[in-house]
Amino acid sequence: MEHHRNDVFAPIDIDHVMERVAGGNETEVYRSDDHRFVVKLKGELGSRDTAAMLADARRMQQAARRFAACLGSRHAIPTYVVLSRDSEGFVHTLAIQPYLANARVLASIDWRTIDAAQRRQIGHDLRHIIVRAVGCLFRTGHLPDLYGRVSASAAERQRRKQLRYLPERIWSFLVKRTILHSQNLMLTAEQPPRLVLIDYDEVRRSQLYRAIYFLTRLILFGRDLIVIWQRLEHG
């Protein structure tokens, strides 16, 4: 794991040094020294405009509460949003969540190691989450991201946004990344384990982009319900 020092971590870490544990489509994820919290930082979205960042933080907090309410307490974790200034003087929104020790993202699970009864329960929970996500879309006009992407570093994330990677990204979005390859859903180490959503960001694009994206997701949810039945519940 890589350790990073930045004044932006001041609200959560006394020496401003945190361990990077993951990265997504826009976000770098760090773990506190005491392993109690994770901090999510969108390093490319910092600004010197404090008022604008405060408005952004309020939108993020509202989105987190909306999606947590849609999914219910069994499948959600709390998210707290704070503003912090980094070592370069830019203001950032930090999303702080409890660290889920020993939890695994669905994409990392070898389903052959999971017994049939637990696979069926996970399948049931996944179907329940999909139904609640669809209900959230029709009630609020927003859809939680149940899939997510992973990046090894900020540099890799920027490189893969280049146009030459577009066909690969589209293929991954439409074909490869079923719900069982989710980076945003984690299976906890509790007994019995829970499936929880860890990403509460909303889609920040134009109305046309959102309409196309949401329609595509609804179609893919149908595909994923078949995958869940075949891989987890059948037999």
Side-chain angles (χ1 to χ4, degrees):
M1 295 294 182
E2 305 172 33
H3 288 80
H4 298 260
R5 186 188 190 285
N6 196 308
D7 291 346
V8 78
F9 300 134
I12 193 77
D13 192 272
I14 193 168
D15 64 0
H16 306 181
V17 176
M18 297 191 72
E19 181 182 34
R20 183 188 186 277
V21 293
N25 190 39
E26 295 180 336
T27 308
E28 294 290 288
V29 184
Y30 303 88
R31 181 172 60 185
S32 62
D33 293 342
D34 58 10
H35 292 194
R36 293 178 59 201
F37 301 101
V38 292
V39 173
K40 297 183 175 182
L41 169 66
K42 297 180 185 297
E44 296 143 26
L45 299 181
S47 172
R48 297 187 188 275
D49 186 341
T50 304
M53 295 307 295
L54 179 59
D56 184 63
R58 287 172 173 162
R59 284 193 298 270
M60 287 179 61
Q61 188 71 77
Q62 183 181 35
R65 289 172 178 164
R66 177 195 307 119
F67 291 145
C70 284
L71 293 182
S73 58
R74 174 171 170 75
H75 301 300
I77 57 175
T79 301
Y80 308 96
V81 180
V82 301
L83 290 182
S84 184
R85 196 178 299 275
D86 69 14
S87 301
E88 305 297 324
F90 289 90
V91 177
H92 296 266
T93 52
L94 302 182
I96 301 174
Q97 296 175 329
Y99 176 64
L100 303 176
N102 300 316
R104 295 174 290 170
V105 296
L106 286 194
S108 71
I109 294 176
D110 181 353
W111 295 104
R112 294 170 298 180
T113 66
I114 307 296
D115 65 64
Q118 187 174 350
R119 286 200 306 270
R120 285 194 293 271
Q121 182 59 52
I122 293 171
H124 175 272
D125 288 346
L126 281 173
R127 286 192 288 106
H128 181 69
I129 287 172
I130 289 174
V131 169
R132 297 199 70 141
V134 172
C136 185
L137 174 61
F138 286 110
R139 286 196 310 274
T140 71
H142 297 275
L143 183 69
D145 182 4
L146 305 183
Y147 298 82
R149 288 196 296 178
V150 65
S151 61
S153 66
E156 181 197 12
R157 183 166 60 249
Q158 286 300 312
R159 184 172 64 254
R160 297 190 70 81
K161 288 182 179 180
Q162 296 174 12
L163 187 60
R164 62 193 175 101
Y165 288 103
L166 181 60
E168 181 182 335
R169 296 204 307 270
I170 293 175
W171 175 258
S172 177
F173 177 80
L174 295 177
V175 179
K176 291 181 62 177
R177 283 188 292 141
T178 71
I179 196 75
L180 299 188
H181 296 90
S182 170
Q183 298 288 343
N184 284 349
L185 289 169
M186 298 192 79
L187 186 67
T188 70
E190 301 166 284
Q191 292 301 324
R194 291 188 299 144
L195 272 180
V196 296
L197 180 69
I198 59 171
D199 189 307
Y200 297 87
D201 290 339
E202 59 187 2
V203 178
R204 305 187 188 203
R205 298 291 183 91
S206 68
Q207 290 293 330
L208 177 60
Y209 178 95
R210 284 158 51 87
I212 295 172
Y213 175 84
F214 292 155
L215 177 59
T216 305
R217 278 297 185 211
L218 290 176
I219 295 171
L220 294 178
F221 280 154
R223 181 269 320 263
D224 285 344
L225 290 174
I226 297 173
V227 171
I228 291 167
W229 180 80
Q230 289 178 331
R231 294 286 305 278
L232 302 182
E233 297 178 318
H234 181 56

